[in-house]
Amino acid sequence: MIDLPEGFIYGGDYNPEQWLDEPGIIEKDIELMKKAGVNCVTLGVFSWAALERYEGHYSFDWLDKIIHTLYDNGIYTVLATPSGAKPVWLAKKYPQTLRVEKNGVRENYRGRHNHCMQSKIYRQKVGKIVTRLAERFGSDPAVILWHISNEFGGECYCDTCATAFREWLKKRYGTIERLNHEWWTAFWSHSFTSFDQIDPPYENGEYSIMGLLLDWRRFTTWSTLDYMKSEIDIIRKYSPDKPVTTNFMGCYDGLDYAELNEPLDVISFDSYPTWGNDSEPLWHTAAAASFDYAQMRGYRKQQPFLLMENTPCQTNWKAVNKLKRPGLQIMAGLQAVACGSDSVQYFQWRKSRGSMEQYHGAVVDHSGRDDTRVFKEVARLGEILESLKEIKGTSSFAKTAVIYDTQVRWAIDGMVGFRKYDMRYLENCQRWYRALLRYGIEADVVSTKDDLSDYSLVIAPMLYMTDDALNDKIRAFVKNGGVFAATHLTGYVNENTLNYLGGFPGELTDVFGIRNDETDALYPNDKNDLDISGRKYPIGGICELLTLAGAEELGTYDSDFYAGTPAFTVNSFGKGRAYYIAAELDDDGAQKVISSMFEKEKIKLSPLPEGIERHVRSGEDVDYVFYFNYSSGRRLVDDQTVEPMSVRIVRRKADGSVSLLF
Amino acid sequence: MIDLPEGFIYGGDYNPEQWLDEPGIIEKDIELMKKAGVNCVTLGVFSWAALERYEGHYSFDWLDKIIHTLYDNGIYTVLATPSGAKPVWLAKKYPQTLRVEKNGVRENYRGRHNHCMQSKIYRQKVGKIVTRLAERFGSDPAVILWHISNEFGGECYCDTCATAFREWLKKRYGTIERLNHEWWTAFWSHSFTSFDQIDPPYENGEYSIMGLLLDWRRFTTWSTLDYMKSEIDIIRKYSPDKPVTTNFMGCYDGLDYAELNEPLDVISFDSYPTWGNDSEPLWHTAAAASFDYAQMRGYRKQQPFLLMENTPCQTNWKAVNKLKRPGLQIMAGLQAVACGSDSVQYFQWRKSRGSMEQYHGAVVDHSGRDDTRVFKEVARLGEILESLKEIKGTSSFAKTAVIYDTQVRWAIDGMVGFRKYDMRYLENCQRWYRALLRYGIEADVVSTKDDLSDYSLVIAPMLYMTDDALNDKIRAFVKNGGVFAATHLTGYVNENTLNYLGGFPGELTDVFGIRNDETDALYPNDKNDLDISGRKYPIGGICELLTLAGAEELGTYDSDFYAGTPAFTVNSFGKGRAYYIAAELDDDGAQKVISSMFEKEKIKLSPLPEGIERHVRSGEDVDYVFYFNYSSGRRLVDDQTVEPMSVRIVRRKADGSVSLLF
Amino acid sequence: MIDLPEGFIYGGDYNPEQWLDEPGIIEKDIELMKKAGVNCVTLGVFSWAALERYEGHYSFDWLDKIIHTLYDNGIYTVLATPSGAKPVWLAKKYPQTLRVEKNGVRENYRGRHNHCMQSKIYRQKVGKIVTRLAERFGSDPAVILWHISNEFGGECYCDTCATAFREWLKKRYGTIERLNHEWWTAFWSHSFTSFDQIDPPYENGEYSIMGLLLDWRRFTTWSTLDYMKSEIDIIRKYSPDKPVTTNFMGCYDGLDYAELNEPLDVISFDSYPTWGNDSEPLWHTAAAASFDYAQMRGYRKQQPFLLMENTPCQTNWKAVNKLKRPGLQIMAGLQAVACGSDSVQYFQWRKSRGSMEQYHGAVVDHSGRDDTRVFKEVARLGEILESLKEIKGTSSFAKTAVIYDTQVRWAIDGMVGFRKYDMRYLENCQRWYRALLRYGIEADVVSTKDDLSDYSLVIAPMLYMTDDALNDKIRAFVKNGGVFAATHLTGYVNENTLNYLGGFPGELTDVFGIRNDETDALYPNDKNDLDISGRKYPIGGICELLTLAGAEELGTYDSDFYAGTPAFTVNSFGKGRAYYIAAELDDDGAQKVISSMFEKEKIKLSPLPEGIERHVRSGEDVDYVFYFNYSSGRRLVDDQTVEPMSVRIVRRKADGSVSLLF
């Protein structure tokens, strides 16, 4: 948690190295920042070439001056290490710092966040500049947080990485025999006789060993973590008292954030929902954003996170980059706060004049004006945040969790079968989260590694891959009185994607009291329904054919040759209950299943009005309840009237008193 | 033809090398095989790494033991040479055995059936292990058939192959002048002055010489055949009394099976129709399967073939992998038999536990149970086949043929014009075959190289490429009283894709009595109809503008600037007649044309009820008539009532007696 | 301008090197050419391999003989240099003449017009053969025009080109600091410290610097021009009296023809409209063709151009290659003449027998007949052109221009923002041109470099990129009384794609009297309308949010949060007026805007009947008015009745007399 500034952090990425030649622009920026209520900016993200224009020639004075001019004006700095974008000279002199792509070809200098994580020379060069930065600013009161590199991501297929991968495999499996067994290489004559024979999954290489595909992605996470730690070690040495973070990217699936977050003091991330797209209602887009927030929250229970980046206006890199409609920017910022963020930060402060991201929204546009719609909304949010100060540092307490696990996603994405490469794992997880949200149930989004014991209800959509620890954890959770719900594709494989023998859901068969005999895949034009007490809920994609083995049937298939067989079941196990939904449902179906479960559990539940999202942050003896109305009509909820496209925030004291905060 | 076992071969691919570590599983398998009526399995397809784990270290004992344990339990073995999947050590030590892809880059170790067919070292290594296998099992009574490698396919662009290609061209054309003429290189300044200048059609290489594209595919067939023969030679030496086969893949267009089948004793193939897809009625899917069977039958007239692979349940590699609906698996197996197969074999017996094909259907599922729907249907088909024993070895006699020729397909696929790369050759061939099937007319599917003299009717859709031999054969066929029907795109080019000068259909102009003046291509939204006596049949894709030159007009275009001009004609030539259909029709149109032709030929014809497919196998003085009902309603045909989704088999003796077999 | 022959040039590409072995075919061709009214053919385009079969061994006699046999028969020759397609021996011996593709890999020998423009050896080899050609035919009366190479296009990424690119950049920017500023590399740490660090935009290289992408395309034009000049220099030396041309390809965007045309004496180009496609009415296709003509006309004001290629029938390289409907070929030829062409030439005379373009339409088909529909129409057009002789050499005079600029297109295509890579620049330019055509207003299509002073109205759709010279030119144009109309996306960036600070439309803000505050992007399903006096016109894609700064509002947005704000404005500036249309309109909207503008300007305007296109060529005291009716009904226009799918040509003398020419 970040203590300074007093209230919420408000500001964003500031890249003044673009404007060093333009006289007066930095003074102008500070004036505008104050106008906007900004109290903190992120500096240095892309400054390497400005800090070290020629190899070994460092110039930190300009940065120092900006940091302190800002500080003198009441604006703190989040200081980034510059490794997110390397200078040209580095790439040209040390081509081994460039990544090798999946096709085996080393890339040319380009873009950003694309260095080889295992490159010794890269670490050396980064080490030098980070050391200098940390030495110089490590105890500077103007700096309140270290921002390690930027938006980690991507893979490298170079020989150094390939060698490191083999070493990593050796550690993981010990012997080649063990690896052969877990990767099931005996089929198709693929047995390895030495670790040296194993290559990364090049584009023109092996694609049929599931364990290889999965382990490569695990290795990439390990490699990134290993690299990130090398930067953090330096920071800790020279700046032991300042917290470190790195900015995640929501549901980015290239890395397992559940592992990567480990050495961080503060979780932060960048949120870029596709607001206003034409394929879903606005509250679905909002729900996708809060799904991400719920995930960030999950990494550090009870501790606020930071919204490190969001756009004050529009993005530039999506197919269609729509303006945020009036008020939406304020709603989006407050949604982050409602979900547990202690900051609202923008990318970026002043719009780039050319090339990279020149049409990505910014607080200050090319026109430089402070009377734009965007600037005025930013300034308005600055005021609002100031008025909500007391909420800072409070926590979110959810009793419900949805399991969304990046490694499960990898396993499913690599899977060849049923609906090939089209199993929609993320979409299913989001759908169940959204269904909970519709009932106003606050849920954390957790990984399979997380502790479940604090929750009373856990929903695990498509829990395809489980290991012994997870199986045991779920078993204990239910046995001890928890309610656990799983859907189609649960319990097929162990942690290396070896199928459970003896039937699915594998080790969890007795917990659920069912057996999955066959897994049917539907074509887009195929129709079936889940029948719950005579009402029908459409099914798409996947239908599992169940045999009851102790469970009670709560719903059945409506048609096809398995009409009338169980599709929704519940099993009492220990003090708890385990629900199973054997097919892919739509939103209505998921909501119906949830209400059926709560009815069964004798908990009263009524849905929020459509378009309403509700979140609660809790301090000592006080709850802050946030209501967001994403619909175009006025809504009444919990005795509060919420206008369309607006937010209402209520303070509820332990003594029962209720007051309107905003 | 395979004598053993007594009745139909029933079984499939068995890959026990996956399970050598699991105690008791092989005993369990044998027990289950007996339960299922299995009398034969295919072993060794992917066993190389298990037979030769380290270079030169062979271990055959485990295989020997399994073969003989099976044999002791009444189960024969089809023994595969292991070259379909190479071990990692081989690829790593001898990278020249790996293929070079179209982009000129050598692939990494991966997948299967992807070795360079011209690699000397590959042939050497394969030669050694095949020799040992053949020595050891060459006269073993447990082994009834050799299965050479597996599903041949693909191309290699390595230097060795490029050199071999040039040699092959030199043999084909003799002089570079002849090649230049046939490839028509004088245009665009492309004349070669030496064979050394010719490269394979690399991705970044020559794509505009039609003869090069075509010859490259011919060469690939030659190269594969040449390789396959090298394996067969060894088998013949050490196992002279056992037949050999290799498993084809239906209409796979990478190889010309019409040439590749030459050295085989028995034709076998793998059938994977997309049962239950949502874009066609079920009987169309069935008709596509029987089109493949008719083609397999065509390679060895009157001699049964083997269905070497089909899935007992679902595939894993299609976009959507739907379960076979109840009964369909039995229908599909009996359809193969009805069309001339003496076996029903599955891929595979026991489902792989991980990685490759872990979700491809198998007789024994991951659960290991014998009370699954799939296992029970497999066992039921085992019983049925046992009851149909007498049919084994009987033949199919068709008086009608559809010409579908892989090389014609290549020529059309390479063609740049009209509807670029979208001429739908296979679809048109299947459509005419299906129209015949609809009238209950049994047709063989033959290549342009086949003898036509036994047929009375031949339909040749889109016979774009003809050579002198084919022109003469068709001319003689019609002259001698045959009825020959051709469609749009007939007779445009010679065997090297040089256009016939003097107009199309080239040398066949007088046979058809028409001249094709222009070839129009329609956009998807363009409409026209074939008008036959006032009834309209939709036309798509292509319309040829004909001038009558002796032929009689049977139908005309309904609209556009060529409305009223001939689109369907007949010409008397010698004792026969040649029909020409100048445009691409749909199913209704094709059926109407067929009924018009039969009317003209004074043969009575009535369509089968919709959804019914009928096939006949004939023994001495006895016909076995199979009726399949792919519809959802009961159907009456030939006085037989056939229930929906079921099969009825009738024995019709020469004396007129009819009895129900199934 | 070409003096010979007396009337219009009529003929096309003739490639007899294909037929040198076929006795009598050339005599036959001459006989047919005379029958068709052909007076000129283009020879030598693909003759290199025939002229220099082995390196240094030249044989020109066959060509000489053909040229003079033709000449003796009254047929002139356009003689091409053969560099458009290189012989195999050249590529094999000098691989550096082959291009390197965007992926950094040198291509194999293939196709045509694909040599490295900077290859010294290529220039040397071309130089030798062109010298010999020019020496031999440079003053030959049979040859009336030099045709340099063929359809220039494409890029090369080889090291030689990379080095030349760096040199070119050095010349353009002088210092690396200047380049860094204009490319805005300070962001993302991309500053270069030396020109040597800059690479072409390889597939796996830099894609985020807009200036780099743009300059690479400029360099490619420079490199092509530089190469073309090297050929022209030789021609000028040995054949100083004969004009030179090269054939452009309409709106091909790989090169900036506005620069490339500079050294040419005559503009010529190849026109291949997608006649008869199913996604637009026929007159739209015709309008796209005349858009191209208007562009060609723009390069040499008042001087006729040549239609160097068009197909007499169908193309072979489009997805669907439909026959030209009866009469269309004649209409298309006369449309070229109406728009300012002094020729109608075909590709090609006799259809290739194989491989390349074997199904591309030709005057003489594979059948060799002269009674085909195509041949007869070609002959008919020959007669018509003979009867229109007096029109040759007359000019087109347009008072209106549409600015379509290839470099603006590049800048927009490279842009990342709003609707990423989908801004439809060409489509918008064509739409405004079409709207003018609909009112019978003849417009030139000009580049941003062209003089505007002769026009009274200029429409500049999406004038995204402007430089000082252009800004000044527009300012002066309006100040002096011109009417200028611009649309959304105007004035965002300078010539290196640096955004104008201070708001858009940058330096033109006061000319238009508006400020663009935000740019919204719409999803396909988003709807909005432009409201002009209560009538609604649909908007798609882009909406800019304007603030009036002097301009008058003529139309507003109909919905969304900017409903009622200005979307169509006019500003008086000096003696002229500047209109601004802030959103993307459809055809109806563009027509309405044009009629509103003309009303405002007090000019009477009425649309032509739908499907009618009208063009005028003017000689001394005489106008030739062409009416084309692309509709299926009879049309009355200017007292002339025009039958469906036909042309009417009227001679209007200065004395007011009107006579029908055709």
Side-chain angles (χ1 to χ4, degrees), chain A residues 254-454:
Chain A
L255 295 168
D256 185 6
Y257 290 149
E259 299 198 344
L260 198 68
N261 85 80
E262 183 266 321
L264 303 176
D265 299 308
V266 177
I267 299 298
S268 74
F269 95 115
D270 304 343
S271 175
Y272 292 102
T274 308
W275 295 112
N277 73 72
D278 63 348
S279 58
E280 62 181 3
L282 193 63
W283 77 270
H284 277 216
T285 313
S290 71
F291 181 88
D292 289 354
Y293 293 127
Q295 202 188 156
M296 294 306 127
R297 204 166 61 212
Y299 298 131
R300 293 284 182 284
K301 299 269 157 50
Q302 268 70 289
Q303 182 190 308
F305 58 89
L306 301 181
L307 172 60
M308 187 57 82
E309 292 183 14
N310 83 119
T311 177
C313 180
Q314 66 197 149
T315 54
N316 73 318
W317 44 271
K318 303 201 177 195
V320 176
N321 298 282
K322 206 168 176 169
L323 296 173
K324 274 184 178 169
R325 266 43 198 162
L328 191 51
Q329 191 256 109
I330 291 172
M331 290 180 81
L334 292 176
Q335 186 195 21
V337 170
C339 290
S341 176
D342 268 3
S343 80
V344 176
Q345 288 156 285
Y346 299 109
F347 183 90
Q348 62 177 328
W349 171 255
R350 182 179 280 275
K351 224 177 230 179
S352 161
R353 194 181 167 188
S355 294
M356 307 85 179
E357 313 194 80
Q358 73 183 110
Y359 297 111
H360 186 98
V363 178
V364 181
D365 208 334
H366 293 122
S367 68
R369 305 177 72 101
D370 59 5
D371 62 353
T372 60
R373 188 177 70 96
V374 170
F375 190 90
K376 287 186 286 190
E377 291 206 18
V378 168
R380 175 74 188 116
L381 181 54
E383 292 166 13
I384 296 169
L385 289 175
E386 177 66 22
S387 75
L388 299 177
K389 258 183 181 173
E390 64 182 273
I391 300 176
K392 192 197 173 189
T394 59
S395 301
S396 296
F397 295 92
K399 300 302 291 171
T400 300
V402 171
I403 298 181
Y404 160 76
D405 189 278
T406 303
Q407 298 203 14
V408 171
R409 184 170 172 184
W410 293 340
I412 291 176
D413 286 352
M415 202 185 93
V416 182
F418 310 124
R419 293 167 63 91
K420 199 180 161 201
Y421 308 137
D422 185 26
M423 296 299 286
R424 304 188 283 239
Y425 175 64
L426 173 61
E427 290 77 357
N428 274 276
C429 291
Q430 288 178 323
R431 175 175 299 126
W432 287 96
Y433 174 84
R434 194 161 58 228
L436 290 166
L437 209 59
R438 194 76 177 72
Y439 286 107
I441 304 166
E442 191 85 75
D444 287 344
V445 172
V446 301
S447 85
T448 55
K449 288 178 194 73
D450 285 300
D451 179 21
L452 302 177
S453 57
D454 282 347

Side-chain angles (χ1 to χ4, degrees), chain C residues 64 107 125 140 150 174 285 293 331 402 445 563-564:
Chain C
D64 200 314
E107 65 174 10
K125 294 293 163 187
D140 194 317
N150 185 49
T285 313
Y293 292 128
M331 290 180 82
V402 170
V445 172

Side-chain angles (χ1 to χ4, degrees), chain B residues 396-416:
Chain B
S396 295
F397 295 91
K399 299 303 289 172
T400 300
V402 170
I403 297 181
Y404 160 76
D405 189 280
T406 303
Q407 299 204 13
V408 171
R409 184 171 173 183
W410 293 340
I412 291 175
D413 286 353
M415 202 184 91
V416 181

